[in-house]
Amino acid sequence: MTPDPGLASWLQLSLTPGLGAATVRNLLKQFGLPHAMLARGDAELAPVLGHPALQALRSPRVAEAVARALQWAAADDHHVITLADDTYPRGLLEISDPPPVLYAHGKIGLLGQPALAIVGSRNGSAQGIRNAEQFASALGDAGLTIVSGLALGIDAAAHRGGLASRSSTIAVLGTGIDIVYPTRNAELATEIARRGLLLSEFPLGTPAIAHNFPRRNRLISGLARGCLVVEAAVESGSLITARCAADQGRDVFAIPGSIHSPLSKGCHALIKTGAKLVESAEDVLAELAGFRASGFANVATTTTNGEPDTGVLAVMGHDPVDVDSLCARAGLSAEQVASELLRLELDGRVTALPGGLYQRLEKAQRG
């Protein structure tokens, strides 16, 4: 990609310490495009910026950062997008604080496609991981690009589902675009850069800083028509994303779960306050105003493989349960129950939980 001649001016403003996004937007309103502002004399700019910010704006440190960013942007599939670009995501123009500059790596055309955010716990259950991936795949096949935050657990599963679909996925980072966090998702990030899109508002080299992750959540929701929360504790970043979505006028969806699971409580809290309870991808699509699904294959979270449950599975229910309870319900010995649980685990029908508990996994179906 050949950098736009005016890109250096945008980068100079956005990379100046002390000039936050709101300040940059105010400067743009007052002076016009960055190159016009930077052409003004120091005497005119000093009363507006203040001397410390003005000195930083003209400093060698900022000039070096601009040069690094321009060099990065010159590589294949690397993009720096400004508020003045036609490729700037329309959804972000609708939020209260759009970033002046975005760094993107991958298929930039995805920013112009209809999208859905899918988020949830970093410590998702086996069923939650499965639901996230299958919902993302089905909704992606229906024409929605899947947006998430590259975190472990539900986010990563949503990205995998998006990559498996025809609409791919966008990962919004809480670091500089040249830094992968968490490192365990490095391979996934590489695949997203190749077949989807990595996106960040933070300068190159920005490390993982705690307060940047809640901030990036407004971009996850802002890029999308709605936000689906798969699993979330009551105090979680996923609920921050859901609140951002609601504040931005986006639809909020939540998948219900067991009343005994801490990871269901956040979803249940959202449903109590107006989020739409969904059990299938079709439920999501039915609520998205103005979106027409194409090539849609339904996914439900509560279907089975069509065969009647027998043995331990027939008495297991849907909540976590211990071995002693299963023995009592099934009339079997501990050894018989343990053997059956092992078989069900290998078949992907049951998962082991902390504390000696077991829970069934529903095999979601398409169609």
Side-chain angles (χ1 to χ4, degrees), residues 11-176:
L11 288 167
Q12 188 174 349
L13 276 185
S14 67
L15 293 171
T16 298
L19 294 187
T23 302
V24 170
R25 290 194 299 271
N26 289 333
L27 290 170
L28 295 174
K29 290 178 182 177
Q30 186 167 349
F31 295 103
L33 291 174
H35 70 271
M37 175 201 158
L38 294 172
R40 305 293 181 102
D42 288 1
E44 189 175 359
L45 293 178
V48 180
L49 293 177
H51 286 289
L54 183 58
Q55 288 179 335
L57 181 70
R58 312 288 197 194
S59 69
R61 177 184 175 187
V62 169
E64 291 171 3
V66 170
R68 284 195 301 272
L70 289 173
Q71 183 180 18
W72 180 87
D76 290 343
D77 293 328
H78 287 191
H79 313 269
V80 178
I81 308 164
T82 75
L83 278 169
D85 292 337
D86 292 339
T87 51
Y88 195 92
R90 181 171 297 181
L92 295 188
L93 293 175
E94 299 171 354
I95 69 176
S96 61
D97 53 350
V101 168
L102 291 167
Y103 300 83
H105 182 188
K107 298 186 179 300
I108 197 173
L110 292 175
L111 293 174
Q113 301 302 311
L116 182 83
I118 298 182
V119 297
S121 173
R122 289 173 172 80
N123 300 304
S125 70
Q127 185 68 65
I129 298 295
R130 181 175 296 196
N131 286 342
E133 189 163 348
Q134 292 177 328
F135 266 75
S137 180
L139 291 165
D141 282 340
L144 290 166
T145 296
I146 304 303
V147 184
S148 199
L150 199 66
L152 299 173
I154 299 299
D155 285 20
H159 288 308
R160 290 194 299 270
L163 287 171
S165 77
R166 67 183 184 87
S167 300
S168 197
T169 188
I170 298 172
V172 185
L173 310 183
T175 62

Side-chain angles (χ1 to χ4, degrees), residues 13-351:
L13 276 185
S14 67
L15 293 171
T16 298
L19 294 187
T23 302
V24 170
R25 290 194 299 271
N26 289 333
L27 290 170
L28 295 174
K29 290 178 182 177
Q30 186 167 349
F31 295 103
L33 291 174
H35 70 271
M37 175 201 158
L38 294 172
R40 305 293 181 102
D42 288 1
E44 189 175 359
L45 293 178
V48 180
L49 293 177
H51 286 289
L54 183 58
Q55 288 179 335
L57 181 70
R58 312 288 197 194
S59 69
R61 177 184 175 187
V62 169
E64 291 171 3
V66 170
R68 284 195 301 272
L70 289 173
Q71 183 180 18
W72 180 87
D76 290 343
D77 293 328
H78 287 191
H79 313 269
V80 178
I81 308 164
T82 75
L83 278 169
D85 292 337
D86 292 339
T87 51
Y88 195 92
R90 181 171 297 181
L92 295 188
L93 293 175
E94 299 171 354
I95 69 176
S96 61
D97 53 350
V101 168
L102 291 167
Y103 300 83
H105 182 188
K107 298 186 179 300
I108 197 173
L110 292 175
L111 293 174
Q113 301 302 311
L116 182 83
I118 298 182
V119 297
S121 173
R122 289 173 172 80
N123 300 304
S125 70
Q127 185 68 65
I129 298 295
R130 181 175 296 196
N131 286 342
E133 189 163 348
Q134 292 177 328
F135 266 75
S137 180
L139 291 165
D141 282 340
L144 290 166
T145 296
I146 304 303
V147 184
S148 199
L150 199 66
L152 299 173
I154 299 299
D155 285 20
H159 288 308
R160 290 194 299 270
L163 287 171
S165 77
R166 67 183 184 87
S167 300
S168 197
T169 188
I170 298 172
V172 185
L173 310 183
T175 62
I177 201 161
D178 55 336
I179 292 179
V180 176
Y181 180 85
T183 55
R184 284 167 58 186
N185 279 343
E187 185 176 344
L188 177 61
T190 298
E191 192 64 14
I192 293 173
R194 188 174 72 86
R195 297 197 290 126
L197 185 71
L198 301 175
L199 192 72
S200 176
E201 67 178 307
F202 300 108
L204 297 175
T206 301
I209 302 171
H211 63 77
N212 282 347
F213 291 91
R215 177 168 176 75
R216 67 87 196 265
N217 289 350
R218 81 196 193 287
L219 303 187
I220 294 175
S221 57
L223 288 166
R225 296 190 176 203
C227 177
L228 170 62
V229 182
V230 177
E231 285 184 329
V234 173
E235 298 292 335
S236 70
S238 302
L239 297 197
I240 295 175
T241 307
R243 285 193 291 270
C244 289
D247 291 343
Q248 294 163 351
R250 274 56 167 170
D251 289 310
V252 179
F253 308 96
I255 297 177
S258 168
I259 61 172
H260 303 290
S261 171
L263 295 179
S264 297
K265 295 190 180 301
C267 291
H268 293 174
L270 289 173
I271 292 167
K272 289 177 182 177
T273 56
K276 299 173 179 66
L277 183 156
V278 297
E279 297 176 308
S280 69
E282 188 175 36
D283 291 341
V284 176
L285 296 170
E287 295 288 344
L288 290 178
F291 177 75
R292 299 185 65 180
S294 58
F296 170 63
N298 185 40
V299 162
T301 63
T302 55
T303 60
T304 69
N305 62 2
E307 301 174 358
D309 293 336
T310 59
V312 168
L313 203 59
V315 299
M316 194 165 197
H318 294 272
D319 289 336
V321 62
D322 58 46
V323 172
D324 288 342
S325 297
L326 289 173
C327 290
R329 294 178 192 176
L332 299 173
S333 68
E335 291 77 11
Q336 289 173 311
V337 168
S339 176
E340 181 70 3
L341 286 172
L342 177 59
R343 184 187 66 79
L344 291 168
E345 276 195 85
L346 293 174
D347 192 39
R349 303 299 305 279
V350 165
T351 185

